[in-house]
Amino acid sequence: MAAKPGIPKGTRDFSPVEMAKRNYIFNTIRDVYHLYGFQQIETPSMEMLSTLMGKYGEEGDKLLFKIQNSGDYFSGITDEELLSRNAAKLASKFCEKGLRYDLTVPFARYVVMHRDEITFPFKRYQIQPVWRADRPQKGRYREFYQCDADVVGSDSLLNEVELMQIVDTVFTRFGIRVCIKINNRKILTGIAEIIGEADKIVDITVAIDKLDKIGLENVNKELAEKGISDEAIAKLQPIILLSGTNAEKLATLKTVLSGSETGLKGVEESEFILNTLQTMGLKNEIELDLTLARGLNYYTGAIFEVKALDVQIGSITGGGRYDNLTGVFGMAGVSGVGISFGADRIFDVLNQLELYPKEAVNGTQLLFINFGEKEAAFSMGILAKARAAGIRAEIFPDAVKMKKQMSYANVKNIPFVAIVGENEMNEGKAMLKNMESGEQQMVTAEELIGVLTK
């Protein structure tokens, strides 16, 4: 007996129902991106390794899926190199290409390659899969989708404001209650400066970013282990635990960070974003959260994260401002700001809260029962009119027992079934059955269309 086939760990098959749900997510996000003037691009699944390597740090480089060269990949490799068994060195000889790790580095490469064709500011979005050679675990996959939107070539904070409006609009359409958290890298830099530990900013922010996971005591313990003085840790406490409204937090920060020019600039930027959004009538809560850090080596200004309020799950959207997206490819000074929706986590939240609209998940609306050649030929005429009216309809291809055909309709959750026998053909009509209520009515093609498009 042939061995049962399988798929690589960390990848998934998606059923028709799951695909309907995923497409609902992608289409909702895509529609909102279009509302705000973003244009779609796509980049290849594979990039040159020279494009990808060194952009994600040492750990990130290890997680790149490398693609073996075709043809004689041993050519140009000495026996000595083969016998050395140096995996990294051999991989660089065997592989010129790799699967993309994220959408940001390919986007930076795209901007540099197409700079003469692009009109700045450039508002692009991408909805594509990415790959990471990570250890698969619950909620962490080797292949997953990212839904990114970025504006490059503009320093204006109106971009940050609009991205937060996009986040609010998307989650309002999904019916998911969220808290949009905002912070600023400059504020965090200012905090590190005023407690006298400017060179330890990464250690400080990595620790306080874990506050909601490990608690204050463990955060302080981690700070001490990183060599941060007791005096600095003591100064940090009121800042970490800062509470009140966004306006009250900003007022306190202006006083606390009065000795840091960088810190005050971050407060000013945050104040503009929050005050502008306050006039926009957001449906969801927005909160200034000083424990929010995100990838601090990457971001240079505002940073965002979105948490679902009714489900225990990690961040479902994130993003921020970066000042030199394209510098690694020799095109300096292009500032950008972007967000990324976590499609897989949003999928889980919508499932848990049962928020998928019926029409998003249901496929076929109408099934014609097949009693034989004459009946099928008559049904095909009505079927063509129904499809022309935008009704998703099909006919069972084989004239098998009616029980089997009705079972097919039930399994596929088809809400209406059309039955056409001799009596119906004589009257030029079809018997339309509502599968939920069991109600039946004799209808013309026009009446059938009226019922289903109501």
Side-chain angles (χ1 to χ4, degrees), residues 71-96:
D72 182 10
Y73 48 84
F74 283 108
S75 99
I77 297 175
T78 65
D79 289 348
E80 189 181 348
E81 284 172 324
L82 279 172
L83 291 169
S84 74
R85 301 175 69 86
N86 185 324
K89 197 170 180 182
L90 286 170
S92 69
K93 300 261 186 170
F94 284 157
C95 312
E96 291 174 351

Side-chain angles (χ1 to χ4, degrees), residues 127-364:
I127 300 176
Q128 287 188 274
V130 299
W131 293 267
R132 294 182 187 177
D134 213 346
R135 188 170 66 85
Q137 51 189 286
K138 187 173 168 56
R140 189 186 291 273
Y141 304 102
R142 286 176 169 166
E143 178 185 62
F144 56 96
Y145 268 74
Q146 290 188 336
C147 309
D148 287 16
D150 291 80
V151 186
V152 295
S154 168
D155 295 323
S156 171
L157 293 172
L158 286 178
N159 297 313
E160 277 85 337
V161 169
E162 287 212 324
L163 287 170
M164 293 305 92
Q165 287 180 280
I166 286 173
V167 168
D168 183 64
T169 306
V170 165
F171 287 111
T172 300
R173 289 191 177 192
F174 285 144
I176 299 172
R177 293 191 321 120
V178 297
C179 177
I180 303 167
K181 293 177 179 284
I182 180 171
N183 199 5
N184 195 296
R185 165 71 193 257
K186 296 182 182 81
I187 290 177
L188 294 165
T189 301
I191 290 169
E193 283 176 11
I194 60 115
I195 66 169
E197 298 281 4
D199 59 328
K200 295 276 179 70
I201 177 158
V202 173
D203 290 334
I204 292 167
T205 49
V206 165
I208 64 174
D209 198 33
K210 299 174 186 170
L211 184 66
D212 60 341
K213 297 182 191 81
I214 65 174
L216 185 60
E217 193 180 324
N218 286 320
V219 167
N220 290 338
K221 187 179 170 187
E222 187 169 319
L223 289 167
E225 285 168 359
K226 294 290 183 183
I228 293 154
S229 71
D230 291 344
E231 185 187 353
I233 292 170
K235 282 184 185 173
L236 199 54
Q237 300 310 290
I239 302 169
I240 294 177
L241 300 170
L242 192 61
S243 59
T245 64
N246 291 333
E248 287 165 347
K249 289 176 186 175
L250 288 167
T252 304
L253 283 171
K254 282 178 188 173
T255 305
V256 171
L257 298 176
S258 59
S260 168
E261 189 182 337
T262 304
L264 288 176
K265 180 68 177 164
V267 173
E268 183 190 321
E269 290 179 4
S270 301
E271 190 167 38
F272 176 85
I273 295 166
L274 290 165
N275 286 350
T276 309
L277 286 169
Q278 203 169 5
T279 67
M280 298 293 161
L282 295 191
K283 303 287 192 296
N284 290 283
E285 178 190 350
I286 185 156
E287 177 195 344
L288 178 65
D289 182 356
L290 299 183
T291 67
L292 175 61
R294 293 192 66 77
L296 275 178
N297 293 331
Y298 182 73
Y299 295 114
T300 53
I303 43 183
F304 324 110
E305 200 161 270
V306 179
K307 294 286 177 89
L309 295 177
D310 300 315
V311 171
Q312 282 291 104
I313 199 166
S315 163
I316 54 177
T317 299
R321 164 76 62 174
Y322 39 83
D323 277 343
N324 197 14
L325 172 75
T326 55
V328 288
F329 297 115
M331 183 181 169
V334 179
S335 181
V337 59
I339 53 171
S340 183
F341 287 95
D344 294 285
R345 284 185 172 177
I346 292 169
F347 179 89
D348 291 341
V349 171
L350 289 169
N351 267 341
Q352 286 185 54
L353 299 177
E354 297 182 350
L355 287 174
Y356 287 102
K358 245 184 187 177
E359 61 272 19
V361 180
N362 286 348
T364 302

Side-chain angles (χ1 to χ4, degrees), residues 8-58:
K9 280 185 179 178
T11 64
R12 295 161 290 170
D13 287 324
F14 295 106
S15 69
V17 170
E18 287 169 326
M19 278 312 305
K21 290 178 175 181
R22 286 168 68 79
N23 284 330
Y24 166 67
I25 293 169
F26 297 143
N27 292 339
T28 300
I29 293 170
R30 186 181 286 112
D31 289 347
V32 177
Y33 282 160
H34 286 162
L35 274 181
Y36 285 80
F38 285 78
Q39 295 176 294
Q40 185 172 17
I41 68 163
E42 287 198 348
T43 57
S45 299
M46 61 181 124
E47 294 274 352
M48 301 306 292
L49 273 178
S50 56
T51 298
L52 301 173
M53 294 291 283
K55 310 303 187 299
Y56 309 105
E58 199 178 324

